[in-house]
Every structure is written in C-alpha cells, then in structure tokens.
Amino acid sequence: MKYATIIEKTDNGYSGYIPDPPGCVSAGDSVEETERLLREAVPFHVDLLREYGEPVPEPQTAVALIDVPTCLSGHRGAGRGGMSGEDAIFGTVPCRGSIKLVSETESLHAKLGNMYGG
C-alpha cells in the first residue's frame, strides 16, 4: 500500500502528515528526515488502528503539483493592471498553466526538494 504524504516547510523545520490514515504526523529538520519519520510511523499507526478495531483506510488521497503560469504572477485584481477573479475562474487569461500528477513518493520528494532548495 502506498499513502500520499504532505510535507510542509515550517518556521523551524518541516512537518508532514498522511491524510489516509488520518492522524499520522511527523516533524523533522529536513524533508528527508520528515519523510523517514513518516515511513516509520505508518506501520505503528496502522497497527494501533487495528488494535482499537478501527478501519484501516485504503489510500484515497491524490497529490498534484500545479505550475502557476508566469503571466499570473503579481496580478492581484482588475483596476490595478491585473486580472479579475472572474477572469481567473472563467479562463479568460491569455496563457495556460499545467497540472502534473505525482504518483510516487520519490517524485514528490524530488519536487519538494527543488521547491525548498534541497
């Protein structure tokens, strides 16, 4: 079974959690440490769920990394040279972004490392 992991930068390191099963969290000084701690925590968390007769959820969370088009950078609304919220919602912006689905933890880890200079 493979669960999606979310790792976020904090003021003093990183925190991570696994949405399925809920309640599985960790914190570390680096992305790598936080991911390692999550990998270690999942089996124990699943064992506790079983011990208390709770269901162990199948992985359901999908992870997507979304590229923000550079034409949107710095635009905060109409009237100041930017686009309106309506333009963003209805797709009248003259450029396109892309969505990349990430299915493997290693791919996500690499993307996060690039995002946070790791």
Side-chain angles (χ1 to χ4, degrees):
M1 234 184 302
K2 290 188 178 190
Y3 288 111
T5 60
I6 309 299
I7 299 174
E8 301 171 323
K9 179 84 171 114
T10 65
D11 290 340
N12 58 352
Y14 295 85
S15 87
Y17 67 97
I18 298 174
D20 314 305
C24 191
V25 299
S26 75
D29 292 329
S30 66
V31 170
E32 295 81 9
E33 179 183 20
T34 305
E35 181 182 344
R36 180 181 54 78
L37 292 171
L38 281 171
R39 287 179 186 275
E40 293 172 4
V42 171
F44 295 110
H45 193 78
V46 168
D47 285 346
L48 281 174
L49 289 173
R50 288 184 179 134
E51 184 178 320
Y52 286 97
E54 297 291 327
V56 177
E58 292 292 319
Q60 297 180 21
T61 302
V63 177
L65 298 177
I66 300 172
D67 290 332
V68 177
T70 56
C71 64
L72 300 180
S73 297
H75 294 282
R76 297 285 186 238
R80 294 183 304 197
M83 77 174 166
S84 70
E86 187 175 283
D87 288 337
I89 292 169
F90 294 108
T92 57
V93 181
C95 65
R96 294 184 182 171
S98 63
I99 297 175
K100 298 177 183 176
L101 291 178
V102 178
S103 59
E104 296 292 328
T105 302
E106 292 74 22
S107 296
L108 178 59
H109 174 69
K111 294 283 186 181
L112 288 171
N114 290 338
M115 286 172 49
Y116 294 112

